[in-house]
Amino acid sequence: MAGAALELWQVAKRFQGVVAVDCVSLAAAPGRVTGLIGPNGSGKTTTMNMITGLYPTDAGHIRLDGVDIARLAPHRVAALGVARTFQNIRLLAGESTLHNVMLGAHRHQSARLLDVLLGLPAVKRSEARETARCEALIDLVGISHLRDSAVGGLSYGDRRRVEIARALATRPRLLLLDEPAAGMNFAEKRALADLVVAIRDMGITVLLIEHDIEFVAQVSDHIVVLNFGREIAAGPPEEVRRMPSVIEAYLGTEDA
Ligand SMILES: Nc1ncnc2c1ncn2[C@@H]1O[C@H](COP(=O)(O)OP(=O)(O)OP(=O)(O)O)[C@@H](O)[C@H]1O
């Protein structure tokens, strides 16, 4: 699978006079992990919401493999191979892990309604293939023992894994992770870091929003730092961590 190249150029967003994103330009290279960091309220989630089509941009371009997606509806952006997880986990609590992950896969089942109603063998084969693919993803994220468990009863970290597996089930070329390590303990974060690297090694481009600077530095090939809706620094993790502007804006705060 070839990861998509994401490019933002002078992107801006205001909410009734509040400047959420002032002027952000960034590039996420294909098949690499780009970390997007910054203090609370610096515009990270708003940027992600513009990339996925949830918010239309007020200015600038967002290009996916050169195609401007800035004003496309969320389902059209998703159809181009963009998947995401949310800061506040969004899953069907009463349904099993497998059922939740299968929801991500359904976009790829092309069977006609009549064929499904007739239960044709080709439809059953396609369903079996998709089930096997989703089971493999559940295994990849490390929760195969929770395949049939209702997700409402799972730990926070495991629910995050279900969300990532569901996003992967859509066969993304670009995966956006919004604070995936939030609320995780040390061991869970270490396993998550391995998972993010495994996803990158599958060829998928990853854009990662995260507060935990150690975690971001560990998994990112490139880091972009926002403050007050503007990009204040960008570069390799070790370089960015040493920049005085970053230390002042981010690492010096209680979020670091
Ligand atoms: N829907 C909205 N309506 C009004 N203001 C908003 C909306 N969404 C975000 N904002 C404002 O835009 C600014 C940027 O918010 P955003 O959530 O993008 O920041 P963030 O960097 O993701 O913060 P956090 O790390 O706390 O999640 C904040 O001042 C926020 O209050």
Side-chain angles (χ1 to χ4, degrees):
M1 187 180 330
L6 174 72
E7 193 191 347
L8 275 66
W9 183 77
Q10 297 191 359
V11 169
K13 182 73 193 170
R14 287 173 178 72
F15 297 104
Q16 288 117 29
V18 177
V19 180
V21 172
D22 195 4
C23 180
V24 167
S25 300
L26 68 87
R32 310 307 291 264
V33 179
T34 300
L36 186 61
I37 66 172
N40 289 113
S42 56
K44 304 181 297 293
T45 297
T46 302
T47 299
M48 194 171 270
N49 285 339
M50 287 191 283
I51 295 167
T52 54
L54 223 50
Y55 296 155
T57 53
D58 289 338
H61 299 293
I62 301 178
R63 294 197 178 94
L64 189 74
D65 281 344
V67 175
D68 200 335
I69 59 168
R71 306 199 68 81
L72 296 185
H75 70 278
R76 299 210 35 216
V77 177
L80 291 173
V82 178
R84 74 175 291 178
T85 64
F86 290 87
Q87 210 170 336
N88 306 311
I89 300 170
R90 299 183 184 185
L91 294 167
L92 298 178
E95 299 292 339
S96 69
T97 294
L98 180 61
H99 186 104
N100 273 277
V101 176
M102 289 291 289
L103 289 176
H106 279 148
R107 184 161 80 75
H108 292 279
Q109 285 180 302
S110 53
R112 292 180 309 161
L113 181 61
L114 185 62
D115 294 349
V116 174
L117 292 175
L118 292 173
L120 294 184
V123 173
K124 288 190 174 143
R125 277 199 300 275
S126 156
E127 270 175 15
R129 262 198 314 272
E130 285 304 291
T131 303
R133 194 169 69 81
C134 289
E135 284 172 341
L137 291 172
I138 291 169
D139 193 29
L140 175 79
V141 302
I143 50 170
S144 47
H145 58 295
L146 300 172
R147 195 194 91 141
D148 300 315
S149 306
V151 299
L154 303 187
S155 72
Y156 195 70
D158 286 337
R159 276 185 285 144
R160 287 227 169 268
R161 287 167 179 277
V162 177
E163 238 203 347
I164 293 172
R166 185 181 59 183
L168 290 173
T170 68
R171 299 183 197 271
R173 296 187 303 129
L174 168 67
L175 176 64
L176 308 171
L177 301 173
D178 195 351
E179 295 196 34
M184 286 190 172
N185 63 32
F186 182 75
E188 286 175 323
K189 280 183 189 176
R190 208 166 48 184
L192 180 67
D194 290 342
L195 176 60
V196 172
V197 170
I199 291 169
R200 181 199 67 188
D201 290 346
M202 289 160 69
I204 298 171
T205 308
V206 178
L207 182 66
L208 167 74
I209 291 180
E210 192 46 73
H211 274 291
D212 184 331
I213 184 73
E214 291 302 327
F215 181 85
V216 182
Q218 201 182 339
V219 302
S220 300
D221 299 293
H222 182 81
I223 290 182
V224 177
V225 189
L226 299 187
N227 198 18
F228 298 114
R230 295 187 83 98
E231 183 202 307
I232 59 162
E238 286 319 311
E239 237 174 69
V240 164
R241 289 174 72 167
R242 286 197 298 266
M243 291 179 185
S245 59
V246 176
I247 293 167
E248 189 186 329
Y250 185 73
L251 301 177
T253 72
E254 58 186 8
D255 294 324

